[in-house]
Amino acid sequence: NAIGGVCYALVLMDRECKHLYTYGLQNLKEQSLLQAVNEFIKDISGKPAHMIADQDRKLIGGEVASFLESPLNPTGTQNNATMVSGAPDHRQSQIGLVEKGWKIVTSMTRNWLASNHMLMQFWWFALKYATQVYNYMPIKYKDMIITPHKLVYKGKPDYRNLFPIFSVAYVKRYKDGTKKRQKLNQVIKCIVLGNDSKSDGRLFYVPKTKSLIGSADYAIDHIPLAGAVFNLDYDGHIDFSVLSPSTPNE
């Protein structure tokens, strides 16, 4: 399991824009999948017109498919229903785009973990960041060179969001006083994990307390290996695989 409890990842791709989406799953139960699908719908501001998966009944059957095929949003408002279908046998090329994207982001994930001597428990943060990097990479679209990010959000990527993941960082901590913001006489040594979704700062892992914190006041030292600095027991190569339709719900 990754830090935070993530065990699996749901990977989706916009076939037109080649934009990749990844969502963490704690298990393969329908409730966990429904939560991830709801996050996806929120990210794209509505249900997709068509969703193609493999023959896994967890996605093309049961509550997930019923929810997508319903014309109602989670809030009860009307919306277009999604046509859910599975790629037929011997025609899995219909989902080949997302599999190609999956290979790219998992390759980046493995390289970052290995080059920084990080534990496999950090795989989810590397995969999530790799997805962001993937969407910033240029593609050919209708005789144009453009990024999936720009196609979806109609604006250029903010490359300031890119940084050396798993670098050693020094985070300043503050407390709020009654009259003014007072700085704590403390700097915490951490590991950079990614962008903090709840603020405009970064997300950090504190090995001493095994906790996650977010901050916009920090300094990064990208030279030393985080695994060596914090004496992490590097556990070697990590392998990723695509779950088969026969994988049980856990």
Side-chain angles (χ1 to χ4, degrees), residues 2 6 38 221:
V6 176
N38 273 314
D221 184 357

mmCIF file of all heavy atoms in Angstrom, residues 2 6 38 221:
data_model
loop_
_atom_site.group_PDB
_atom_site.id
_atom_site.type_symbol
_atom_site.label_atom_id
_atom_site.label_comp_id
_atom_site.label_asym_id
_atom_site.label_seq_id
_atom_site.Cartn_x
_atom_site.Cartn_y
_atom_site.Cartn_z
ATOM 1 N N ALA A 2 0.395 2.275 -0.701
ATOM 2 C CA ALA A 2 1.095 3.552 -0.689
ATOM 3 C C ALA A 2 0.778 4.313 0.593
ATOM 4 O O ALA A 2 -0.231 4.044 1.258
ATOM 5 C CB ALA A 2 0.688 4.379 -1.896
ATOM 6 N N VAL A 6 -3.554 4.238 -0.618
ATOM 7 C CA VAL A 6 -3.865 3.920 -2.013
ATOM 8 C C VAL A 6 -3.218 2.592 -2.402
ATOM 9 O O VAL A 6 -2.022 2.388 -2.178
ATOM 10 C CB VAL A 6 -3.383 5.042 -2.959
ATOM 11 C CG1 VAL A 6 -3.625 4.660 -4.417
ATOM 12 C CG2 VAL A 6 -4.113 6.343 -2.633
ATOM 13 N N ASN A 38 -16.710 9.850 -9.803
ATOM 14 C CA ASN A 38 -17.281 11.156 -9.468
ATOM 15 C C ASN A 38 -16.223 12.252 -9.505
ATOM 16 O O ASN A 38 -16.492 13.378 -9.945
ATOM 17 C CB ASN A 38 -17.934 11.100 -8.086
ATOM 18 C CG ASN A 38 -19.378 10.640 -8.133
ATOM 19 O OD1 ASN A 38 -20.155 11.101 -8.961
ATOM 20 N ND2 ASN A 38 -19.744 9.734 -7.248
ATOM 21 N N ASP A 221 16.628 21.287 -1.768
ATOM 22 C CA ASP A 221 17.993 20.871 -2.070
ATOM 23 C C ASP A 221 17.886 19.596 -2.907
ATOM 24 O O ASP A 221 17.625 18.514 -2.391
ATOM 25 C CB ASP A 221 18.767 20.606 -0.774
ATOM 26 C CG ASP A 221 20.232 20.262 -1.037
ATOM 27 O OD1 ASP A 221 20.619 20.177 -2.223
ATOM 28 O OD2 ASP A 221 20.980 20.076 -0.060
#
